[in-house]
Amino acid sequence: QITLKESGPTLVKPTQTLTLTCTFSGFSLRNTAVGVSWIRQSPGKALEWLALIFWDDDKRYSPSLKSRLTITKDTSKNKVVLTMTNMDPVDTATYYCAHTSLTIMDVWGQGTTVTVSS
Amino acid sequence: SYVLTQPPSVSVAPGQTATITCGGENIGSKSLHWYQQKPGQAPVLAVYDNSARPSGIPERFSGSNSGNTATLTIKRVEAGDGADYYCQVWDSSGDHPVFGGGTKLTVL
């Protein structure tokens, strides 16, 4: 059974850097074609894909946020970390990580809510 | 960047068939996935690769994809099907996933 859980601060100040961790079980990032995506959802808004890291350390970023995002993995610890710099109140959202098989985000974490406010 | 267009809302009476569309240029050439998100919950994969259903998704849910429009069809709609539905493809030019804007399905 695949499970993922997001963790990180619930409140960050504007201009700070956000660091979120996705801790997963039931799969390995050593497996071919496996990846972990990060997706966010601002209150009342649509899903927005942010970043994806594959088993071979191939990384993809949202073009609109690429300059602010970094995604890394720790395969031995079953963790994927997303950092987002220069946080702004518009970045207030629920952040999800998801197991990704090629192009399919087939299992999602419960999400973690981040508020950006001074 | 590739754009997916969904109607903001669809309403249907219980027992009827709901049809949710997702439009995009030559979308029929892409592998398309649908996600269901109930209020206060994380999204769940409902249909993948245009028409395949993950385990646990009722047979009432089906998908198709051709030309410039993909469609999610829910037959014999139940109150519990009320949710937001999102389509998603891989943008081959940008080499990353893309979501549609979502459709709120209201069961009357």
Side-chain angles (χ1 to χ4, degrees), chain B residues 58-107:
Chain B
E59 291 184 13
R60 301 183 295 103
F61 286 74
S62 63
S64 63
N65 188 10
S66 178
N68 294 319
T69 304
T71 302
L72 174 69
T73 302
I74 309 172
K75 296 183 178 179
R76 301 181 298 280
V77 167
E78 302 173 358
D81 297 332
D84 292 327
Y85 292 85
Y86 294 90
C87 57
Q88 177 250 314
V89 298
W90 187 270
D91 177 0
S92 53
S93 61
D95 218 6
H96 58 78
V98 173
F99 284 102
T103 298
K104 182 179 181 63
L105 176 65
T106 299
V107 182

Short mmCIF file of all heavy atoms in Angstrom, two decimals, chain B residues 58-107:
data_model
loop_
_atom_site.label_atom_id
_atom_site.label_comp_id
_atom_site.label_asym_id
_atom_site.label_seq_id
_atom_site.Cartn_x
_atom_site.Cartn_y
_atom_site.Cartn_z
N PRO B 58 -15.92 3.12 -9.27
CA PRO B 58 -17.08 2.39 -9.82
C PRO B 58 -17.09 2.36 -11.35
O PRO B 58 -16.59 3.28 -12.02
CB PRO B 58 -18.27 3.20 -9.29
CG PRO B 58 -17.76 3.93 -8.11
CD PRO B 58 -16.32 4.23 -8.40
N GLU B 59 -17.69 1.31 -11.88
CA GLU B 59 -17.81 1.18 -13.34
C GLU B 59 -18.66 2.29 -13.94
O GLU B 59 -18.64 2.49 -15.16
CB GLU B 59 -18.42 -0.18 -13.68
CG GLU B 59 -17.52 -1.36 -13.38
CD GLU B 59 -18.14 -2.66 -13.82
OE1 GLU B 59 -19.13 -2.64 -14.57
OE2 GLU B 59 -17.63 -3.72 -13.41
N ARG B 60 -19.38 3.01 -13.13
CA ARG B 60 -20.19 4.12 -13.62
C ARG B 60 -19.32 5.25 -14.20
O ARG B 60 -19.82 6.08 -14.97
CB ARG B 60 -21.05 4.69 -12.48
CG ARG B 60 -22.00 3.68 -11.85
CD ARG B 60 -22.89 4.33 -10.78
NE ARG B 60 -22.13 4.81 -9.61
CZ ARG B 60 -21.83 6.07 -9.39
NH1 ARG B 60 -22.25 7.02 -10.21
NH2 ARG B 60 -21.16 6.42 -8.30
N PHE B 61 -18.06 5.25 -13.82
CA PHE B 61 -17.13 6.27 -14.31
C PHE B 61 -16.42 5.75 -15.57
O PHE B 61 -15.85 4.65 -15.57
CB PHE B 61 -16.07 6.60 -13.25
CG PHE B 61 -16.59 7.41 -12.10
CD1 PHE B 61 -17.41 6.83 -11.14
CD2 PHE B 61 -16.26 8.75 -11.97
CE1 PHE B 61 -17.91 7.57 -10.07
CE2 PHE B 61 -16.74 9.50 -10.90
CZ PHE B 61 -17.56 8.91 -9.96
N SER B 62 -16.47 6.56 -16.62
CA SER B 62 -15.78 6.18 -17.85
C SER B 62 -15.22 7.42 -18.52
O SER B 62 -15.67 8.55 -18.24
CB SER B 62 -16.71 5.43 -18.80
OG SER B 62 -17.79 6.26 -19.20
N GLY B 63 -14.27 7.22 -19.42
CA GLY B 63 -13.66 8.35 -20.11
C GLY B 63 -13.44 8.05 -21.56
O GLY B 63 -13.35 6.89 -21.98
N SER B 64 -13.35 9.13 -22.34
CA SER B 64 -13.02 9.02 -23.75
C SER B 64 -12.19 10.24 -24.14
O SER B 64 -12.19 11.26 -23.43
CB SER B 64 -14.28 8.93 -24.61
OG SER B 64 -15.04 10.11 -24.50
N ASN B 65 -11.48 10.12 -25.25
CA ASN B 65 -10.60 11.21 -25.66
C ASN B 65 -10.39 11.13 -27.17
O ASN B 65 -9.85 10.14 -27.67
CB ASN B 65 -9.26 11.10 -24.93
CG ASN B 65 -8.36 12.29 -25.17
OD1 ASN B 65 -8.79 13.30 -25.73
ND2 ASN B 65 -7.12 12.18 -24.73
N SER B 66 -10.81 12.19 -27.85
CA SER B 66 -10.67 12.21 -29.30
C SER B 66 -10.67 13.65 -29.80
O SER B 66 -11.35 14.51 -29.22
CB SER B 66 -11.83 11.44 -29.95
OG SER B 66 -11.74 11.48 -31.36
N GLY B 67 -9.92 13.88 -30.84
CA GLY B 67 -9.90 15.22 -31.43
C GLY B 67 -9.40 16.26 -30.45
O GLY B 67 -8.30 16.14 -29.91
N ASN B 68 -10.22 17.25 -30.19
CA ASN B 68 -9.86 18.33 -29.27
C ASN B 68 -10.60 18.29 -27.95
O ASN B 68 -10.54 19.24 -27.17
CB ASN B 68 -10.12 19.69 -29.94
CG ASN B 68 -9.22 19.95 -31.12
OD1 ASN B 68 -8.03 19.65 -31.08
ND2 ASN B 68 -9.79 20.50 -32.19
N THR B 69 -11.30 17.16 -27.69
CA THR B 69 -12.09 17.08 -26.46
C THR B 69 -11.99 15.71 -25.81
O THR B 69 -12.16 14.69 -26.46
CB THR B 69 -13.57 17.39 -26.76
OG1 THR B 69 -13.69 18.67 -27.39
CG2 THR B 69 -14.38 17.42 -25.46
N ALA B 70 -11.74 15.73 -24.51
CA ALA B 70 -11.82 14.52 -23.70
C ALA B 70 -13.06 14.65 -22.82
O ALA B 70 -13.48 15.75 -22.46
CB ALA B 70 -10.58 14.36 -22.83
N THR B 71 -13.64 13.50 -22.48
CA THR B 71 -14.89 13.50 -21.74
C THR B 71 -14.85 12.50 -20.61
O THR B 71 -14.44 11.35 -20.79
CB THR B 71 -16.08 13.17 -22.66
OG1 THR B 71 -16.13 14.12 -23.74
CG2 THR B 71 -17.39 13.23 -21.91
N LEU B 72 -15.30 12.94 -19.45
CA LEU B 72 -15.53 12.06 -18.31
C LEU B 72 -17.04 11.89 -18.20
O LEU B 72 -17.78 12.88 -18.12
CB LEU B 72 -14.98 12.66 -17.03
CG LEU B 72 -15.29 11.89 -15.73
CD1 LEU B 72 -14.55 10.56 -15.71
CD2 LEU B 72 -14.92 12.73 -14.51
N THR B 73 -17.49 10.66 -18.20
CA THR B 73 -18.91 10.36 -18.10
C THR B 73 -19.19 9.60 -16.82
O THR B 73 -18.49 8.62 -16.51
CB THR B 73 -19.39 9.53 -19.31
OG1 THR B 73 -19.12 10.25 -20.52
CG2 THR B 73 -20.88 9.25 -19.22
N ILE B 74 -20.16 10.06 -16.09
CA ILE B 74 -20.57 9.39 -14.86
C ILE B 74 -22.03 9.01 -15.03
O ILE B 74 -22.91 9.87 -15.11
CB ILE B 74 -20.40 10.29 -13.63
CG1 ILE B 74 -18.98 10.88 -13.59
CG2 ILE B 74 -20.68 9.50 -12.35
CD1 ILE B 74 -18.79 11.94 -12.52
N LYS B 75 -22.30 7.71 -15.09
CA LYS B 75 -23.67 7.22 -15.25
C LYS B 75 -24.32 7.01 -13.90
O LYS B 75 -23.66 6.79 -12.89
CB LYS B 75 -23.66 5.92 -16.05
CG LYS B 75 -23.16 6.07 -17.48
CD LYS B 75 -23.25 4.75 -18.22
CE LYS B 75 -22.80 4.93 -19.68
NZ LYS B 75 -22.84 3.65 -20.43
N ARG B 76 -25.63 7.09 -13.90
CA ARG B 76 -26.42 6.86 -12.66
C ARG B 76 -25.81 7.63 -11.49
O ARG B 76 -25.43 7.05 -10.48
CB ARG B 76 -26.49 5.37 -12.37
CG ARG B 76 -27.13 4.57 -13.50
CD ARG B 76 -27.21 3.09 -13.16
NE ARG B 76 -25.88 2.49 -12.96
CZ ARG B 76 -25.07 2.12 -13.92
NH1 ARG B 76 -25.42 2.30 -15.18
NH2 ARG B 76 -23.91 1.58 -13.64
N VAL B 77 -25.72 8.92 -11.69
CA VAL B 77 -25.06 9.79 -10.71
C VAL B 77 -25.70 9.66 -9.33
O VAL B 77 -26.94 9.62 -9.19
CB VAL B 77 -25.08 11.24 -11.19
CG1 VAL B 77 -24.69 12.21 -10.08
CG2 VAL B 77 -24.16 11.42 -12.39
N GLU B 78 -24.83 9.63 -8.33
CA GLU B 78 -25.26 9.56 -6.93
C GLU B 78 -24.85 10.84 -6.22
O GLU B 78 -23.95 11.55 -6.66
CB GLU B 78 -24.61 8.35 -6.25
CG GLU B 78 -24.92 7.03 -6.92
CD GLU B 78 -24.13 5.88 -6.31
OE1 GLU B 78 -23.31 6.14 -5.39
OE2 GLU B 78 -24.33 4.72 -6.75
N ALA B 79 -25.47 11.09 -5.09
CA ALA B 79 -25.15 12.30 -4.34
C ALA B 79 -23.67 12.36 -3.99
O ALA B 79 -23.05 13.43 -3.99
CB ALA B 79 -26.00 12.35 -3.06
N GLY B 80 -23.08 11.22 -3.71
CA GLY B 80 -21.67 11.17 -3.35
C GLY B 80 -20.71 11.47 -4.48
O GLY B 80 -19.51 11.60 -4.25
N ASP B 81 -21.22 11.59 -5.71
CA ASP B 81 -20.36 11.93 -6.85
C ASP B 81 -20.13 13.43 -6.93
O ASP B 81 -19.29 13.88 -7.73
CB ASP B 81 -20.99 11.45 -8.16
CG ASP B 81 -21.13 9.93 -8.21
OD1 ASP B 81 -20.33 9.23 -7.56
OD2 ASP B 81 -22.06 9.45 -8.89
N GLY B 82 -20.85 14.19 -6.15
CA GLY B 82 -20.65 15.64 -6.14
C GLY B 82 -19.24 15.97 -5.69
O GLY B 82 -18.82 15.60 -4.60
N ALA B 83 -18.49 16.65 -6.55
CA ALA B 83 -17.08 16.91 -6.30
C ALA B 83 -16.54 17.82 -7.40
O ALA B 83 -17.23 18.13 -8.36
CB ALA B 83 -16.29 15.59 -6.29
N ASP B 84 -15.29 18.22 -7.21
CA ASP B 84 -14.57 18.90 -8.29
C ASP B 84 -13.80 17.85 -9.09
O ASP B 84 -13.21 16.92 -8.51
CB ASP B 84 -13.59 19.93 -7.73
CG ASP B 84 -14.30 21.10 -7.07
OD1 ASP B 84 -15.40 21.47 -7.53
OD2 ASP B 84 -13.75 21.65 -6.09
N TYR B 85 -13.82 17.99 -10.39
CA TYR B 85 -13.13 17.06 -11.27
C TYR B 85 -12.10 17.81 -12.11
O TYR B 85 -12.41 18.85 -12.71
CB TYR B 85 -14.12 16.33 -12.18
CG TYR B 85 -15.02 15.38 -11.40
CD1 TYR B 85 -16.17 15.83 -10.78
CD2 TYR B 85 -14.67 14.03 -11.27
CE1 TYR B 85 -16.98 14.98 -10.05
CE2 TYR B 85 -15.47 13.16 -10.55
CZ TYR B 85 -16.62 13.64 -9.93
OH TYR B 85 -17.40 12.78 -9.19
N TYR B 86 -10.89 17.27 -12.14
CA TYR B 86 -9.79 17.91 -12.87
C TYR B 86 -9.24 16.95 -13.92
O TYR B 86 -9.01 15.77 -13.63
CB TYR B 86 -8.65 18.28 -11.92
CG TYR B 86 -9.01 19.34 -10.91
CD1 TYR B 86 -9.53 19.00 -9.66
CD2 TYR B 86 -8.82 20.69 -11.20
CE1 TYR B 86 -9.87 19.98 -8.74
CE2 TYR B 86 -9.15 21.67 -10.28
CZ TYR B 86 -9.67 21.30 -9.05
OH TYR B 86 -10.00 22.28 -8.14
N CYS B 87 -9.00 17.48 -15.12
CA CYS B 87 -8.30 16.69 -16.13
C CYS B 87 -6.81 17.08 -16.10
O CYS B 87 -6.44 18.16 -15.63
CB CYS B 87 -8.89 16.90 -17.52
SG CYS B 87 -8.94 18.62 -18.10
N GLN B 88 -5.98 16.17 -16.60
CA GLN B 88 -4.52 16.40 -16.57
C GLN B 88 -3.86 15.64 -17.71
O GLN B 88 -4.21 14.50 -18.01
CB GLN B 88 -3.94 15.95 -15.23
CG GLN B 88 -2.43 16.08 -15.12
CD GLN B 88 -1.72 14.73 -15.10
OE1 GLN B 88 -2.12 13.81 -14.39
NE2 GLN B 88 -0.64 14.62 -15.86
N VAL B 89 -2.93 16.29 -18.35
CA VAL B 89 -2.12 15.66 -19.39
C VAL B 89 -0.66 16.01 -19.16
O VAL B 89 -0.32 16.83 -18.29
CB VAL B 89 -2.51 16.11 -20.82
CG1 VAL B 89 -3.94 15.73 -21.14
CG2 VAL B 89 -2.29 17.61 -21.01
N TRP B 90 0.20 15.41 -19.96
CA TRP B 90 1.62 15.77 -19.99
C TRP B 90 1.83 16.71 -21.17
O TRP B 90 1.52 16.36 -22.30
CB TRP B 90 2.47 14.52 -20.13
CG TRP B 90 3.93 14.79 -20.01
CD1 TRP B 90 4.81 15.11 -21.01
CD2 TRP B 90 4.71 14.78 -18.81
NE1 TRP B 90 6.07 15.30 -20.52
CE2 TRP B 90 6.03 15.09 -19.16
CE3 TRP B 90 4.42 14.52 -17.46
CZ2 TRP B 90 7.07 15.17 -18.22
CZ3 TRP B 90 5.44 14.59 -16.53
CH2 TRP B 90 6.74 14.90 -16.91
N ASP B 91 2.32 17.89 -20.88
CA ASP B 91 2.63 18.86 -21.92
C ASP B 91 3.95 18.48 -22.56
O ASP B 91 5.01 18.71 -21.97
CB ASP B 91 2.68 20.27 -21.32
CG ASP B 91 3.07 21.33 -22.33
OD1 ASP B 91 3.31 21.00 -23.52
OD2 ASP B 91 3.15 22.52 -21.95
N SER B 92 3.89 17.92 -23.74
CA SER B 92 5.11 17.38 -24.34
C SER B 92 6.08 18.48 -24.77
O SER B 92 7.28 18.26 -24.82
CB SER B 92 4.75 16.50 -25.54
OG SER B 92 3.92 17.20 -26.43
N SER B 93 5.57 19.67 -25.03
CA SER B 93 6.46 20.75 -25.44
C SER B 93 7.20 21.31 -24.24
O SER B 93 8.40 21.58 -24.31
CB SER B 93 5.68 21.85 -26.14
OG SER B 93 4.71 22.40 -25.28
N GLY B 94 6.52 21.46 -23.14
CA GLY B 94 7.16 21.95 -21.93
C GLY B 94 7.73 20.84 -21.07
O GLY B 94 8.52 21.08 -20.16
N ASP B 95 7.33 19.62 -21.39
CA ASP B 95 7.82 18.43 -20.69
C ASP B 95 7.46 18.45 -19.20
O ASP B 95 8.33 18.25 -18.33
CB ASP B 95 9.34 18.27 -20.86
CG ASP B 95 9.73 16.82 -21.02
OD1 ASP B 95 8.82 15.96 -21.10
OD2 ASP B 95 10.94 16.53 -21.04
N HIS B 96 6.17 18.71 -18.93
CA HIS B 96 5.71 18.71 -17.54
C HIS B 96 4.20 18.50 -17.54
O HIS B 96 3.53 18.68 -18.56
CB HIS B 96 6.08 20.03 -16.86
CG HIS B 96 5.52 21.25 -17.52
ND1 HIS B 96 4.20 21.64 -17.39
CD2 HIS B 96 6.10 22.14 -18.34
CE1 HIS B 96 4.01 22.74 -18.10
NE2 HIS B 96 5.14 23.07 -18.69
N PRO B 97 3.63 18.12 -16.37
CA PRO B 97 2.17 17.93 -16.29
C PRO B 97 1.43 19.26 -16.32
O PRO B 97 1.97 20.30 -15.93
CB PRO B 97 1.98 17.24 -14.93
CG PRO B 97 3.32 16.82 -14.49
CD PRO B 97 4.30 17.74 -15.13
N VAL B 98 0.17 19.17 -16.77
CA VAL B 98 -0.71 20.34 -16.79
C VAL B 98 -2.10 19.90 -16.32
O VAL B 98 -2.59 18.85 -16.74
CB VAL B 98 -0.82 20.93 -18.21
CG1 VAL B 98 -1.87 22.03 -18.25
CG2 VAL B 98 0.52 21.46 -18.68
N PHE B 99 -2.70 20.72 -15.47
CA PHE B 99 -4.07 20.47 -15.02
C PHE B 99 -5.04 21.41 -15.71
O PHE B 99 -4.70 22.56 -16.03
CB PHE B 99 -4.20 20.71 -13.51
CG PHE B 99 -3.63 19.62 -12.66
CD1 PHE B 99 -2.40 19.79 -12.05
CD2 PHE B 99 -4.32 18.43 -12.44
CE1 PHE B 99 -1.85 18.80 -11.25
CE2 PHE B 99 -3.79 17.44 -11.65
CZ PHE B 99 -2.55 17.62 -11.05
N GLY B 100 -6.27 20.95 -15.89
CA GLY B 100 -7.34 21.83 -16.29
C GLY B 100 -7.81 22.65 -15.10
O GLY B 100 -7.40 22.41 -13.95
N GLY B 101 -8.70 23.59 -15.36
CA GLY B 101 -9.16 24.49 -14.32
C GLY B 101 -10.18 23.90 -13.36
O GLY B 101 -10.55 24.54 -12.38
N GLY B 102 -10.63 22.68 -13.66
CA GLY B 102 -11.57 22.01 -12.76
C GLY B 102 -13.02 22.28 -13.07
O GLY B 102 -13.37 23.37 -13.57
N THR B 103 -13.86 21.30 -12.81
CA THR B 103 -15.31 21.40 -12.99
C THR B 103 -16.00 20.95 -11.71
O THR B 103 -15.73 19.85 -11.23
CB THR B 103 -15.79 20.53 -14.16
OG1 THR B 103 -15.19 20.97 -15.37
CG2 THR B 103 -17.31 20.58 -14.28
N LYS B 104 -16.87 21.81 -11.21
CA LYS B 104 -17.63 21.44 -10.01
C LYS B 104 -18.90 20.72 -10.44
O LYS B 104 -19.74 21.30 -11.14
CB LYS B 104 -17.99 22.68 -9.20
CG LYS B 104 -18.76 22.39 -7.92
CD LYS B 104 -19.05 23.65 -7.16
CE LYS B 104 -19.79 23.39 -5.86
NZ LYS B 104 -18.97 22.58 -4.92
N LEU B 105 -19.02 19.47 -10.05
CA LEU B 105 -20.21 18.69 -10.34
C LEU B 105 -21.17 18.81 -9.17
O LEU B 105 -20.85 18.40 -8.04
CB LEU B 105 -19.87 17.23 -10.59
CG LEU B 105 -21.09 16.32 -10.81
CD1 LEU B 105 -21.82 16.70 -12.10
CD2 LEU B 105 -20.68 14.85 -10.83
N THR B 106 -22.34 19.36 -9.46
CA THR B 106 -23.39 19.49 -8.45
C THR B 106 -24.49 18.49 -8.73
O THR B 106 -25.02 18.43 -9.86
CB THR B 106 -23.98 20.91 -8.46
OG1 THR B 106 -22.94 21.86 -8.17
CG2 THR B 106 -25.08 21.04 -7.42
N VAL B 107 -24.81 17.69 -7.74
CA VAL B 107 -25.91 16.73 -7.85
C VAL B 107 -27.14 17.38 -7.24
O VAL B 107 -27.18 17.67 -6.04
CB VAL B 107 -25.57 15.41 -7.16
CG1 VAL B 107 -26.70 14.41 -7.35
CG2 VAL B 107 -24.26 14.84 -7.72
#
